[in-house]
């Protein structure tokens, strides 16, 4: 449901690529891939984000993976950060210790997917279409307007592993994901964690309100987590501090989404 110049940008490539523009009127990222899946009869679907740089050997790597792992029906690949300049300090700390926040997925070798280990991200995912189902992406998740509810790609992979079986991450199927300087700040880290908390409403249900419609006990729990983060603060970045900020931010997202 974009109102910008997306259509003009896409159609500007028509003389160089076999490309088709589709418009999805419902707001939310997950509606878009669901629409796309309903409009194609191709055997394999490759999902990529709009802020990535594709390695020249990406398609060859996926074809090689199909031959190497013929029993697999879905694949993912490495996602490395695409930076304007080298980062240091807190930015480098966040990128190293919380790579999932920035869509980073490093692979030293081909790795079978596991919901308790590594799984593919939606920025670099290949799936055999016949193994998908209508509305495979949950419409309650993903970027919806300016707010994100986490888990659309993880839930899809978890269901594929349960329904289809084997999926592989390929170390040579590489894309670079753009990470702006603004993304490598604490605010972005907190917002990403709040998106996980919003998803808890889907998984756990809303927090039960108390007297006057306010869940006082839940706000007390959030404050306890926030105080813990404050007590772990140091003038240099530490894992204990950011783990505590993560815990508090996730709970805050849950609280706000429960209202």
């Amino acid at each position: 449901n974009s109102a910008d110049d997306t259509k003009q940008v896409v159609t500007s490539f028509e003389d160089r690529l076999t490309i088709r523009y589709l418009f999805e009127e419902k707001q939310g990222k997950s509606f878009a891939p669901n629409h796309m899946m309903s409009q194609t009869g191709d055997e394999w679907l490759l999902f990529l984000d709009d802020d990535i740089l594709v390695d020249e050997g990406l398609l060859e790597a996926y074809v090689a993976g199909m031959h190497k792992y013929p029993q697999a029906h879905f694949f993912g690949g490495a996602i490395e950060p695409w930076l304007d300049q080298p980062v240091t300090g807190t930015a480098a700390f966040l990128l190293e210790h919380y790579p999932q926040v920035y869509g980073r997925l490093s692979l030293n070798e081909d790795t079978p997917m596991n919901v308790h280990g590594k799984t593919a991200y939606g920025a670099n995912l290949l799936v055999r279409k016949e193994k998908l189902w209508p509305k495979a992406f949950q419409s309650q998740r993903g970027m919806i307007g300016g707010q994100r509810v986490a888990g659309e790609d993880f839930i899809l992979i978890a269901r594929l592993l349960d329904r289809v079986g084997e999926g592989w991450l390929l170390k040579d199927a590489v894309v670079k994901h753009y990470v702006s300087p603004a993304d490598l700040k604490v605010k972005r880290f907190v917002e990403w964690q709040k998106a996980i908390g919003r998803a808890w409403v889907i998984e756990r249900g809303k927090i039960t309100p108390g007297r006057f419609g306010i869940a006082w006990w839940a706000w007390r729990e959030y404050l306890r987590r926030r105080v813990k983060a404050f007590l772990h603060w140091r003038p240099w970045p530490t894992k204990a501090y950011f783990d505590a900020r993560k815990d508090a931010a996730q709970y805050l997202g849950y609280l706000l989404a429960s209202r």
Side-chain angles (χ1 to χ4, degrees):
N1 197 29
S2 60
D4 57 14
D5 61 347
T6 296
K7 182 176 182 179
Q8 288 73 23
V9 172
V10 172
T11 56
S12 71
F13 287 87
E14 286 180 335
D15 61 339
R16 286 172 282 172
L17 299 172
T18 302
I19 193 167
R20 181 183 174 196
Y21 171 81
L22 296 173
F23 180 78
E24 169 53 56
E25 64 181 14
K26 294 177 182 175
Q27 187 69 54
K29 177 186 174 181
S30 291
F31 288 112
N34 285 339
H35 185 173
M36 181 271 291
M37 288 188 291
S38 72
Q39 296 295 312
T40 180
D42 293 309
E43 183 181 0
W44 289 90
L45 304 181
L46 176 60
F47 299 91
L48 302 168
D49 277 2
D50 61 352
D51 53 357
I52 63 160
L53 186 65
V54 176
D55 185 86
E56 290 183 358
L58 180 70
L59 297 182
E60 288 83 355
Y62 274 131
V63 171
M66 293 175 193
H67 290 291
K68 188 175 182 180
Y69 308 105
Q71 70 280 16
H73 296 283
F74 56 103
F75 299 90
I79 307 173
E80 293 298 339
W82 174 14
L83 304 168
D84 291 324
Q85 58 189 20
V87 293
T88 59
T90 299
F93 180 90
L94 290 173
L95 194 58
E96 178 184 357
H97 292 280
Y98 302 93
Q100 67 278 12
V101 175
Y102 307 100
R104 184 180 188 181
L105 179 59
S106 297
L107 299 170
N108 296 320
E109 60 184 1
D110 291 354
T111 306
M113 293 190 218
N114 187 304
V115 291
H116 302 296
K118 288 186 175 183
T119 64
Y121 297 163
N124 190 10
L125 172 65
L126 181 73
V127 185
R128 190 185 293 273
K129 183 173 186 273
E130 67 177 20
K131 299 302 180 180
L132 289 167
W133 53 97
K135 300 180 180 179
F137 286 86
Q138 286 190 338
S139 59
Q140 315 100 298
R141 299 177 186 264
M143 202 69 183
I144 305 172
Q147 194 172 75
R148 180 174 177 269
V149 180
E152 73 279 10
D153 46 5
F154 177 80
I155 295 297
L156 175 67
I157 297 299
R159 290 183 174 179
L160 281 169
L161 287 168
D162 182 55
R163 296 184 182 196
V164 178
E166 194 170 318
W168 279 83
L169 295 167
L170 308 176
K171 68 178 179 62
D172 294 327
V174 182
V175 303
K176 289 186 177 180
H177 176 244
Y178 181 67
V179 182
S180 72
D183 288 336
L184 289 167
K185 295 184 182 297
V186 176
K187 181 179 179 180
R188 155 73 177 187
F189 174 83
V190 169
E191 287 301 316
W192 197 90
Q193 303 300 341
K194 285 167 65 177
I196 294 177
R198 293 187 196 105
W200 292 354
V201 171
I202 302 171
E203 298 155 11
R204 309 177 184 182
K206 292 184 177 182
I207 293 173
T208 304
R211 183 177 296 181
F212 308 118
I214 300 173
W216 297 107
W217 64 270
W219 282 102
R220 190 166 57 245
E221 278 296 301
Y222 165 67
L223 290 174
R224 183 179 67 80
R225 288 165 165 78
R226 198 67 180 85
V227 168
K228 182 179 178 181
F230 175 78
L231 294 175
H232 279 92
W233 183 85
R234 299 292 184 273
W236 60 89
T238 67
K239 192 73 165 50
Y241 169 72
F242 279 102
D243 280 350
R245 284 299 303 268
K246 176 182 74 172
D247 188 29
Q250 290 177 358
Y251 203 84
L252 179 60
Y254 185 33
L255 267 174
L256 296 177
S258 295
R259 291 187 301 181

